[in-house]
């Protein structure tokens, strides 16, 4: 009976989704199964090539910076050229640049190609998310995004284990295998996925203004979501950034950290589908508030951990928050995105996680080095609480609409202003910690390698409200033409 119930639950979780979604899901899984390079990049540069940890950190940061730069451009491409052409260009370019990275030897060339790899590999994400929103019914989107997130983590778990064995044989083999599997993804897209971008009728073109980057940046409600998502992303980054450094400083070995963090992948693979069944039709605002607070206090509890088992328990807490937050937040982004601007909106959302991946290593390294790990975990609890309060303020005036549909009615302006203020305050707190000192410590260098590498592997990307404002001053003038 339990086996029959499990089969029925799985069947209900995967039923009703279109065939195109499953080809897109397959492409995502294959891509993640072949994601070797980000996992062993630091080891390749330090052990195989003999470069310093500082240089490895620089390369990892450039890899992450490439993702930040490409997010908005890829979003524009997804809206202008289409989802399918953007995916083909991004995946073909990724295959070429990853293979090239395995052969270049000059340090400048390695850094430049690593930046290119980060840009091309991240460019497919806005198109994937926009295409998924196009082909899946609004009521099924939480489930679809959850299944896609499950594929990402399953693929990453397998590729992380395989990367170690491949690296023992040949680092070059890892580069070439990843390039080959990424090329397979492009072939799947070319053969099985039709273009999904909705075409505007003549009447729609006349009635609606063109959606540009300036439109996205002026959308205060959406940018509030981006800012809150940035805060949550900074918290989640600590699993790959602050946690290994803090455990090392407490006398634990890398193997101990590996054992504790493995709980994250195991739980996501085991619980993502059943938890999604539980939350699928529940209030998105409440789920975002709970998951944000749970993430903050999950990491906050790390301050009291003194054994591997205790660290593993804290990982369980914030992993549950991650399982709930990821599909819910992605569905909210789709809900707030106009149909003909989904690529640009998803690009901005994707960029926010990349920015968080750049900020988190510096912030955690400085805080740990200057005040101790306990302050970092306390700061996580504060930021999680602030993010939860921000979501509550934003969502309490959100009109009830079908998930995945763009909401034309604007929320209460005071609520949006309050969210922007809350987000800005938390961002200033985090940024102040990151810039409080210019001292380059070994902890900071090591953290940069770990954080940026893990961010690339996870496929992560959020820009805060303040960051968005500074970007707006540069691109609003020309954004409506993009």
């Amino acid at each position: 009976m339990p086996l029959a119930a499990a089969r029925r639950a799985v069947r209900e979780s995967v039923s009703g989704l279109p065939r195109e979604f499953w080809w897109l899901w397959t492409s995502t899984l294959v891509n993640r199964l072949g994601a070797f390079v980000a996992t062993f990049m630091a080891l390749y540069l330090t052990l195989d090539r003999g470069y310093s940890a500082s240089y490895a950190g620089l390369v990892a940061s450039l890899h992450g910076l490439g993702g930040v730069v490409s997010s908005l451009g890829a979003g524009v491409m997804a809206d202008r050229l289409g989802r399918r052409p953007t995916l083909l260009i991004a995946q073909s370019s990724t295959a070429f640049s990853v293979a090239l990275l395995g052969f270049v030897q000059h340090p400048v060339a390695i850094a430049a190609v690593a930046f290119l790899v980060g840009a091309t590999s991240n460019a497919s994400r806005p198109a994937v998310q926009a295409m998924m929103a196009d082909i899946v019914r609004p009521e099924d989107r939480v489930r679809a995004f959850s299944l896609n997130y499950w594929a990402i983590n399953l693929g990453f778990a397998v590729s992380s284990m395989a990367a170690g064995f491949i690296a023992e044989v040949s680092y070059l083999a890892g580069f070439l295998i990843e390039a080959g599997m990424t090329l397979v993804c492009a072939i799947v897209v070319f053969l099985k996925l039709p273009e999904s971008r909705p075409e505007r009728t003549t009447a729609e073109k006349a009635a609606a203004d063109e959606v540009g980057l300036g439109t996205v940046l002026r959308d205060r409600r959406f940018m509030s979501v981006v800012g809150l998502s940035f805060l949550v992303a900074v918290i989640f980054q600590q699993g790959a950034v602050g946690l290994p450094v803090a455990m090392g400083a407490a006398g634990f070995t890398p193997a101990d950290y590996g054992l504790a963090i493995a709980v994250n992948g195991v739980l996501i693979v085991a619980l993502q589908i059943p938890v999604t069944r539980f939350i699928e039709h529940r209030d998105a605002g409440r789920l975002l508030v709970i998951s944000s607070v749970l993430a903050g206090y999950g990491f906050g509890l790390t301050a009291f951990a003194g054994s591997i088992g205790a660290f593993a328990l804290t990982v369980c807490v914030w992993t549950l928050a991650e399982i709930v937050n990821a599909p819910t937040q992605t569905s909210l982004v789709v809900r707030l995105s106009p149909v003909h601007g989904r690529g640009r909106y998803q690009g901005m959302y994707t960029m926010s996680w990349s920015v968080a991946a750049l900020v988190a290593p510096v912030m955690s390294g400085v805080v740990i080095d200057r005040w101790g790990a306990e302050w970092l975990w306390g700061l996580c609890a504060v930021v999680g609480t602030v993010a939860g309060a921000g979501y509550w303020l934003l969502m309490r005036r959100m009109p009830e609409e079908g998930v995945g549909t763009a909401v034309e009615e604007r929320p209460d302006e005071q609520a949006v202003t309050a969210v922007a203020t809350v987000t800005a305050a938390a961002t200033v707190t985090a940024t102040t910690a990151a810039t409080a000192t210019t001292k380059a410590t070994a902890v900071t260098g090591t953290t940069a390698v770990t954080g940026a590498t893990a961010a690339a592997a996870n496929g992560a990307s959020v820009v805060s409200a303040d960051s968005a404002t500074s970007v707006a001053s540069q691109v609003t003038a020309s954004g409506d033409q993009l």
Side-chain angles (χ1 to χ4, degrees), residues 148-209:
N148 191 66
Y149 191 69
W150 182 82
I152 290 172
N153 283 277
L154 176 62
F156 175 65
V158 174
S159 67
S160 296
M161 292 185 291
F165 294 104
I166 293 173
E168 290 184 358
V169 178
S170 169
Y171 284 104
L172 179 59
F175 286 103
L176 296 179
I177 292 173
E178 177 168 344
M181 295 188 76
T182 306
L183 194 58
V184 169
C185 294
I187 294 173
V188 170
V189 170
F190 180 76
L191 295 177
K192 297 296 183 179
L193 286 174
E195 176 56 56
S196 67
R197 180 184 58 175
E199 293 295 335
R200 284 186 173 185
T201 64
T202 303
E204 287 177 330
K205 291 179 180 178
D209 295 331

Side-chain angles (χ1 to χ4, degrees), residues 371-391:
W371 296 292
E374 291 79 9
W375 279 87
L376 176 64
W377 308 132
L379 183 61
C380 285
V382 171
V383 173
T385 302
V386 170
Y391 278 120

Side-chain angles (χ1 to χ4, degrees), residues 406-422:
V407 182
E408 298 300 328
E409 182 180 347
R410 307 307 296 177
D412 183 78
E413 290 299 319
Q414 292 181 347
V416 174
T417 303
V419 171
T421 303
V422 165

Side-chain angles (χ1 to χ4, degrees), residues 13 123 134 140 240 346-347 367 438 457:
S13 297
D134 295 337
D140 292 331
Q346 290 289 351
V367 172
T438 58

Side-chain angles (χ1 to χ4, degrees), residues 237-261:
Q237 287 293 325
Q238 301 311 319
V241 175
L243 186 59
V245 175
M247 289 185 68
F252 292 93
T253 66
D256 294 332
Y257 165 73
L259 185 62
I261 200 63

Side-chain angles (χ1 to χ4, degrees), residues 39-52:
T39 303
F40 61 61
M41 176 65 76
L43 296 176
Y44 167 70
L45 293 175
T46 54
L47 299 182
D48 190 68
R49 291 296 187 183
Y51 292 112
S52 65

Side-chain angles (χ1 to χ4, degrees), residues 53 56-57 60-61 237-238 240-246 357-369 376 441-455:
S61 295
Q237 287 293 325
Q238 301 311 319
V241 175
L243 186 59
V245 175
L358 292 178
V359 170
V362 179
M363 184 193 79
S364 59
V366 170
V367 172
I368 291 175
D369 185 52
L376 176 64
T441 63
V443 172
T444 305
T446 304
T447 306
V449 176
T450 307
T453 302

